[in-house]
Amino acid sequence: MVLSRRSFVLGTGAALAGAALLPATPASAASRSSSWLADAVLYQVYPQSFADTGGDGIGDLAGIIDHLDHLRWLGVDTVWVNPVFPSPFTDAGYDISDYVSVHPRYGDEEDVSRLVEAARRRGIRVLFDLVAGHTSDQHRWFLNSLRDPADDRYIWATPDQLPAGGPLPEQFVASPGPRPGAFRMNYYATQPAINYGYARQNADEPWREPVDADGPRANRAAIRSIVDHWLRLGISGFRCDMAATLVKDDPGWVETGKLWGELRSWMDRRHPGTVLISEWGDPATSVPAGFDGDFYLPVNGPGDGAPWRSLWRDDPYFDASGTGTAKTFVDAWTAATKAIGSGGHTIMPIANHDSATRLNNGIRTPEQFPAAWTFLLTWPTVPTIYYGEEIGMRAVEGLPDVEGSAGRQNNRTPMQWNSGPNAGFSSAPAEELYIPLDPDPARPTVEQQLGDPDSLLHFVRRLLALRKRHPELGTRTAVQVFDDGYPLTYLRGDRFLVTVNPRRDTATTSVPDARLRHARMAEGRGVRIEGATVTVEGFGYAVLDLGR
């Protein structure tokens, strides 16, 4: 039997036997898992590259507002916006000089209010970035700290605490001002680490303060004040940058977890219904600490991000060669889901603004994209779409470094809206764009793909609509894995059988279920069923409705 794409509803069928049942989240659980995040579809906007309404070559908040209808049409209900705060931009805005204002290049607080309200009318929530681990060295907190040796907002070592005549301790930077000694940085020398204390004391490092010292306690209160400011303007929550790094020398992240749990409890009391999502990479640790969800990422977490890397980067499963395995991800997700229970969610991106490169990475070809999207939008994680992924924008090599991008600029090119100048991103001269446009004349655009019902854009929209229409494909129901090789094959909610084969060669698997012979395809290509055998052509995929 050869199946083609069409929608349908079937009657009740028999349950599958012999498959490993992975845990489901009870819909009635009295926990944060019943929050709106369970059903969310996140869309990440890198604001300086999304849409420019001011003609300066840099995207802005008004540009996001102008394209909310695109997101609503696509099926997105949550937008995460990278930092829009004042900054000297040594790290593209992750070096914040004022937490409770907006950099003029993006707009002002009135534009934030306009964005929140315009999004709300379309059923879309807005998340901001919370960069709690460090500030810019131009933040008034740090400037005050430079002048006051008693200021303990940052981690300072006095001259008598430092090695005499030797190099500074790792990650310490010599004071650039009148205060003697050195401060601890986080990533760049322009990013002094905020002092949340050390989980352990060490006589060889006398600058360490405990987590309950006055400075760390004052900083926790300051973060609550920042969170309160934006939540009062209607933001629905935060993605928390490098959330695992706040308390230093913290084995098992025990004290870091307590810090976030304290903030989460405060938010539940003061701003119920808001969420915290961590950039941690280890949901089994971060979600019990108080986060509503955690991203799988190419860095951090077990195996240095192995669950993400095994799918998308290092001998990846989603590669034409067919030498990868989905087992690494499936096993990690299973263990994390058991640890989390009903308390929160795992979140899966393909790409982001950082080191998670695009699906169109110069190796994968467009015919490989549908299988990847089928997995992304039918596995019980909260899906995250990086801007432009829905049309297959590519990672562009050879671009200049921009605002400390340090090799990450290949993911940050302007959004490709149409065939006009600068792909509709900006009216500025091309040489004044924040970052150069993809130079490929065949680059995909929203306009072109809107006119093609067989385009990737329409495919992603159909999958999102299918997921929304059928809760069995969301986060609240079980997944039964039949094959974690090629093709990856699993059952969702005892109704939808999903099979994806991202390699170029045909793959087969066995699904012992009588309903299979009556299965109808909700979405798919290149799938053949003969008895209990499912044969999937190279780059084939299917979402099959087996009935209730």
Side-chain angles (χ1 to χ4, degrees):
M1 176 171 61
V2 179
L3 301 174
S4 60
R5 187 184 70 232
R6 56 188 185 274
S7 298
F8 54 89
V9 176
L10 288 179
T12 304
L16 284 176
L21 179 63
L22 300 183
T25 299
S28 60
S31 69
R32 289 191 306 274
S33 67
S34 61
S35 76
W36 55 265
L37 186 62
D39 304 308
V41 176
L42 274 61
Y43 189 97
Q44 182 188 350
V45 169
Y46 192 65
Q48 48 264 58
S49 295
F50 193 63
D52 167 29
T53 64
D56 62 356
I58 300 175
D60 45 47
L61 289 166
I64 302 173
I65 295 170
D66 284 354
H67 291 284
L68 287 173
D69 284 337
H70 166 71
L71 302 183
R72 177 176 63 175
W73 174 87
L74 183 61
V76 167
D77 56 26
T78 307
V79 175
W80 156 33
V81 183
N82 289 106
V84 294
F85 316 111
S87 169
F89 297 109
T90 62
D91 186 16
Y94 280 90
D95 50 322
I96 295 170
S97 57
D98 184 353
Y99 281 109
V100 290
S101 187
V102 175
H103 194 286
R105 80 182 195 181
Y106 301 117
D108 54 29
E109 280 199 0
E110 181 60 31
D111 290 309
V112 173
S113 297
R114 289 178 54 232
L115 171 61
V116 168
E117 176 57 22
R120 184 196 62 78
R121 293 196 303 268
R122 293 164 173 83
I124 298 173
R125 293 177 170 89
V126 178
L127 306 180
F128 269 8
D129 245 304
L130 179 63
V131 186
H134 56 262
T135 68
S136 164
D137 61 2
Q138 300 304 306
H139 196 290
R140 62 179 177 83
W141 292 352
F142 188 73
L143 298 178
N144 290 338
S145 184
L146 280 176
R147 294 189 294 267
D148 181 3
D151 187 303
D152 55 1
R153 189 175 289 278
Y154 298 90
I155 301 170
W156 282 92
T158 59
D160 61 295
Q161 294 173 332
L162 294 168
L168 291 174
E170 186 178 4
Q171 294 187 299
F172 273 77
V173 177
S175 173
R179 181 173 183 168
F183 68 89
R184 177 163 177 162
M185 70 175 189
N186 262 359
Y187 306 103
Y188 294 122
T190 57
Q191 294 172 326
I194 296 176
N195 179 19
Y196 295 101
Y198 284 75
R200 299 189 296 189
Q201 299 305 294
N202 182 341
D204 293 332
E205 297 185 356
W207 56 80
R208 295 188 177 203
E209 289 193 335
V211 295
D212 59 352
D214 289 344
R217 291 169 59 194
N219 282 328
R220 294 200 300 271
I223 293 300
R224 289 196 297 272
S225 178
I226 293 163
V227 167
D228 186 65
H229 175 85
W230 294 111
L231 294 181
R232 287 180 181 277
L233 284 177
I235 299 301
S236 294
F238 298 88
R239 172 267 191 188
C240 301
D241 183 65
M242 296 302 293
T245 66
L246 271 57
V247 177
K248 306 305 183 185
D249 192 9
D250 186 14
W253 299 282
V254 173
E255 295 298 334
T256 302
K258 289 179 183 178
L259 185 157
W260 287 113
E262 177 186 273
L263 179 62
R264 173 73 264 174
S265 296
W266 176 86
M267 287 174 61
D268 286 342
R269 295 192 304 271
R270 295 289 296 271
H271 299 281
T274 55
V275 302
L276 283 178
I277 297 172
S278 61
E279 184 195 26
W280 195 304
D282 183 13
T285 299
S286 58
V287 172
F291 286 97
D292 298 275
D294 184 21
F295 292 98
Y296 280 112
L297 293 165
V299 293
N300 304 321
D304 194 26
W308 186 93
R309 291 175 182 274
S310 69
L311 293 178
W312 311 113
R313 180 175 292 171
D314 299 338
D315 189 18
Y317 180 74
F318 286 94
D319 182 77
S321 66
T323 59
T325 176
K327 180 176 173 57
T328 302
F329 166 78
V330 171
D331 288 351
W333 179 88
T334 304
T337 303
K338 289 179 178 177
I340 291 169
S342 60
H345 305 282
T346 57
I347 304 175
M348 173 58 75
I350 296 176
N352 67 8
H353 68 290
D354 221 338
S355 53
T357 193
R358 291 190 179 276
L359 185 62
N360 190 353
N361 63 350
I363 300 173
R364 287 182 284 261
T365 58
E367 63 186 338
Q368 297 173 248
F369 300 166
W373 278 103
T374 300
F375 161 76
L376 182 73
L377 298 182
T378 62
W379 191 268
T381 58
V382 177
T384 302
I385 302 171
Y386 186 46
Y387 81 97
E389 283 294 286
E390 71 270 29
I391 59 172
M393 280 179 56
R394 71 181 181 125
V396 181
E397 300 300 325
L399 297 175
D401 179 81
V402 178
E403 296 183 346
S405 53
R408 298 169 293 177
Q409 60 267 36
N410 62 348
N411 293 1
R412 301 176 177 183
T413 55
M415 179 66 176
Q416 294 155 200
W417 293 107
N418 56 46
S419 58
N422 298 323
F425 163 70
S426 172
S427 62
E431 64 273 14
E432 295 181 10
L433 298 186
Y434 172 75
I435 201 166
L437 190 70
D438 180 353
D440 186 350
R443 59 181 176 251
T445 68
V446 172
E447 178 185 63
Q448 179 270 323
Q449 293 198 9
L450 278 172
D452 178 5
D454 293 324
S455 66
L456 180 64
L457 178 62
H458 279 279
F459 178 74
V460 172
R461 183 181 188 238
R462 288 196 305 270
L463 280 177
L464 286 171
L466 187 69
R467 181 184 178 102
K468 183 176 182 180
R469 192 162 61 247
H470 298 290
E472 295 93 338
L473 294 172
T475 63
R476 301 179 190 269
T477 60
V479 55
Q480 294 175 326
V481 178
F482 285 87
D483 196 329
D484 55 20
Y486 294 90
L488 175 60
T489 304
Y490 49 93
L491 181 71
R492 294 304 323 280
D494 195 32
R495 177 175 179 181
F496 288 96
L497 185 74
V498 180
T499 185
V500 296
N501 179 25
R503 73 182 189 185
R504 65 173 59 89
D505 298 326
T506 297
T508 62
T509 193
S510 179
V511 179
D513 188 277
R515 294 179 296 173
L516 197 58
R517 67 177 182 271
H518 299 301
R520 297 186 182 269
M521 186 174 289
E523 196 69 55
R525 183 197 68 79
V527 175
R528 185 173 69 254
I529 295 175
E530 296 174 316
T533 300
V534 179
T535 301
V536 188
E537 296 175 3
F539 311 137
Y541 56 93
V543 181
L544 306 172
D545 194 334
L546 304 181
R548 295 184 183 278

